[in-house]
Amino acid sequence: MSFAPEPSFTHGAPPKAAATTAILLCNLGTPDAPTAPALRRYLGEFLSDARVVEIPRAIWWLILHGIILRTRPKKSAAKYASVWLPEGSPLKVWTEKQALMLRGYLGKRGHAVEVRYAMRYGNPSIASQLDQLKADGVTRVLILPAYPQYSGTTTASVFDAVYTWAAKVRRIPEFRFINNYHDDPGYIAALADKIRRHWQLNGQAGQLVMSFHGVPERTLRLGDPYHCECQKTARLLAEKLALPKERYQVTFQSRFGKAKWLEPYTEPTLVKLAQSGVKSVDVICPGFTGDCLETLEEISMEARHAFLEAGGKAFSYIECLNDSPQWLAALSELGIRHMGGWPTQTVPEVQTLAASRSAALALGAKQ
């Protein structure tokens, strides 16, 4: 087996001036454009992952290439087009902005850490970002998935991509991995702050619905902790808000295929609430740290329509954490905690913050 060439170097030369420690913020991914060809490439990569679909490969290959990739891309492209921004998909925009701002927040705390973002499926890939970090002289990388709740379908797949890249590299950087932060006090506090701010501006609805991304129910029976971690996030968030159990619901969205997934499902729950006389709902998606297709189209558009059609009067979608200052402060604290013991270069705080803010402002100006 041959390994990837190492970056050029001179024996005995001092390390590069750039930071030798980095954080790689990893999100699920997004197509390059809201078009059927782009969706076909993206879905082909996503749905070929054995972590995502645990069906015998030969059978699944026939279903994927014989049916799904022939019919689904066009429908999905239309949905992406409904939320697409001038600079790309919302998921990409928010993940990029979070990485830029996280670097500034870390600099404010005195840590000169390089922060990049990568996508498990699509661009920029995890492998390409690790290649660039290595070329830049980074020797320590903290892998930070954008998923607060651990799941084999998401978190573990990110780790697989890192392991696959490392298997082809001669000199492997030192890695650390964050498995979850579903009960992190800073994360919970940032969610609660988001909801309270919404209530201050819009009033409090009759029910708060916390909608998490769904996974097949069999994963729970097989030992995946995702369901339990979602429930704990919801419980801690409700406690932080002093919200009694009868005032909130935990649901699961984005069901795919005919198998039974974690229940209760979000949209049918919203319909039942409306039919039972609940006139107003607030919906938040705690498992998504940045707004994306699943929150903006599936919840804020489709679920809203279903609730109102069933007799509901007021539907409020509470946006994701996105660039919330409290969230970015919590994320930086999470990174610092997991980098404990790793050396980070110290640079003037003003310099680090200025660079990060300038980049974030430039990105925001495009939105």
Side-chain angles (χ1 to χ4, degrees), residues 269-312:
T269 298
L270 288 166
V271 169
K272 288 180 182 178
L273 285 172
Q275 292 173 342
S276 69
V278 174
K279 298 302 181 184
S280 61
V281 294
D282 293 322
V283 184
I284 191 169
C285 301
F288 298 89
T289 55
D291 275 310
C292 56
L293 179 77
E294 286 79 5
T295 65
L296 298 174
E297 194 277 337
E298 183 178 355
I299 297 299
S300 190
M301 294 182 186
E302 291 186 0
R304 179 192 303 273
H305 177 76
F307 178 73
L308 297 177
E309 281 289 301

Side-chain angles (χ1 to χ4, degrees), residues 332-355:
S332 64
E333 176 59 35
L334 185 71
I336 291 169
R337 191 160 67 244
H338 283 270
M339 290 188 296
W342 274 359
T344 56
Q345 290 180 322
T346 301
V347 296
E349 178 181 320
V350 174
Q351 177 184 340
T352 306
L353 281 175

Side-chain angles (χ1 to χ4, degrees), residues 129-140:
Q129 292 293 62
L130 288 174
D131 282 340
Q132 188 59 56
L133 287 173
K134 186 174 174 65
D136 290 343
V138 168
T139 57
R140 304 174 189 86

Side-chain angles (χ1 to χ4, degrees), residues 136-264:
D136 290 343
V138 168
T139 57
R140 304 174 189 86
V141 184
L142 174 65
I143 303 299
L144 172 52
Y147 325 119
Q149 296 77 25
Y150 176 96
S151 172
T153 62
T154 52
T155 316
S157 184
V158 164
F159 297 170
D160 286 345
V162 177
Y163 305 148
T164 299
W165 175 85
K168 301 174 183 177
V169 172
R170 185 177 302 280
R171 187 175 182 180
I172 300 172
E174 184 177 355
F175 284 113
R176 288 182 185 174
F177 300 85
I178 298 180
N179 275 40
N180 56 28
Y181 42 98
H182 64 288
D183 56 357
D184 178 74
Y187 161 66
I188 298 297
L191 287 171
D193 180 70
K194 200 76 167 175
I195 294 170
R196 287 195 197 99
R197 288 177 181 273
H198 176 83
W199 287 347
Q200 288 169 2
L201 292 173
N202 305 282
Q204 186 174 346
Q207 284 280 308
L208 174 66
V209 176
M210 305 181 199
S211 180
F212 294 84
H213 198 287
V215 295
E217 186 189 55
R218 68 187 294 270
T219 62
L220 173 61
R221 300 195 302 271
L222 292 172
D224 196 303
Y226 179 74
H227 178 267
C228 299
E229 293 187 1
C230 290
Q231 295 291 343
K232 187 172 184 180
T233 295
R235 176 175 60 79
L236 293 174
L237 180 54
E239 290 174 359
K240 192 76 173 176
L241 294 167
L243 199 63
K245 194 169 181 61
E246 64 271 15
R247 292 293 303 279
Y248 73 93
Q249 304 266 338
V250 178
T251 64
F252 297 89
Q253 63 183 85
S254 308
R255 181 186 175 205
F256 177 76
K258 296 182 179 180
K260 186 176 181 181
W261 281 40
L262 294 180
E263 295 180 319

